[in-house]
Amino acid sequence: MSYTVFATIPVKPEHLEAACEAVATIVPATRSEDGCLSFEPRRAADGSSTIMIFEEWADRDAFDFHHAQDYTKDVFARYENWLQSEPELIEVKPLEG
């Protein structure tokens, strides 16, 4: 069974554009990881300074592998001063089953 996460990243408004650009830079590398089934970052449509990422991985090990990559660590390091609060990661599963 795949490992699926919905991440909500609350960014300070003045850093939203930089945060979006930082996430955008890792999309190609992330999607090319062996265990990545889906990696879909989005901005909130309500005008808030929130980034949301739907991530589906082959398993938890693939998710952990992604978070161990230098490009992922680099984005997290940049976030340190950009966030309003800690990101929220929620593991999700299909409605059926």
Side-chain angles (χ1 to χ4, degrees):
M1 176 176 241
S2 65
Y3 183 76
T4 307
V5 174
F6 187 79
T8 303
I9 306 163
V11 180
K12 294 175 186 171
E14 64 271 22
H15 297 293
L16 180 60
E17 291 305 318
C20 289
E21 289 173 15
V23 171
T25 65
I26 70 167
V27 170
T30 299
R31 289 181 178 160
S32 70
E33 291 175 27
D34 285 338
C36 183
L37 304 177
S38 181
F39 187 82
E40 299 297 330
R42 300 285 189 265
R43 294 171 74 148
D46 65 1
S48 66
S49 57
T50 304
I51 297 171
M52 291 166 239
I53 306 173
F54 177 81
E55 307 178 40
E56 187 173 11
W57 300 92
D59 52 31
R60 178 62 194 250
D61 288 342
F63 176 80
D64 292 341
F65 175 84
H66 168 66
H67 284 266
Q69 300 311 297
D70 287 340
Y71 50 84
T72 304
K73 290 179 185 179
D74 179 57
V75 169
F76 288 160
R78 290 196 245 168
Y79 276 169
E80 287 179 9
N81 296 314
W82 294 349
L83 299 179
Q84 291 185 38
S85 59
E86 289 296 312
E88 182 179 16
L89 299 176
I90 300 173
E91 183 179 351
V92 297
K93 60 183 183 177
L95 290 177
E96 65 282 348

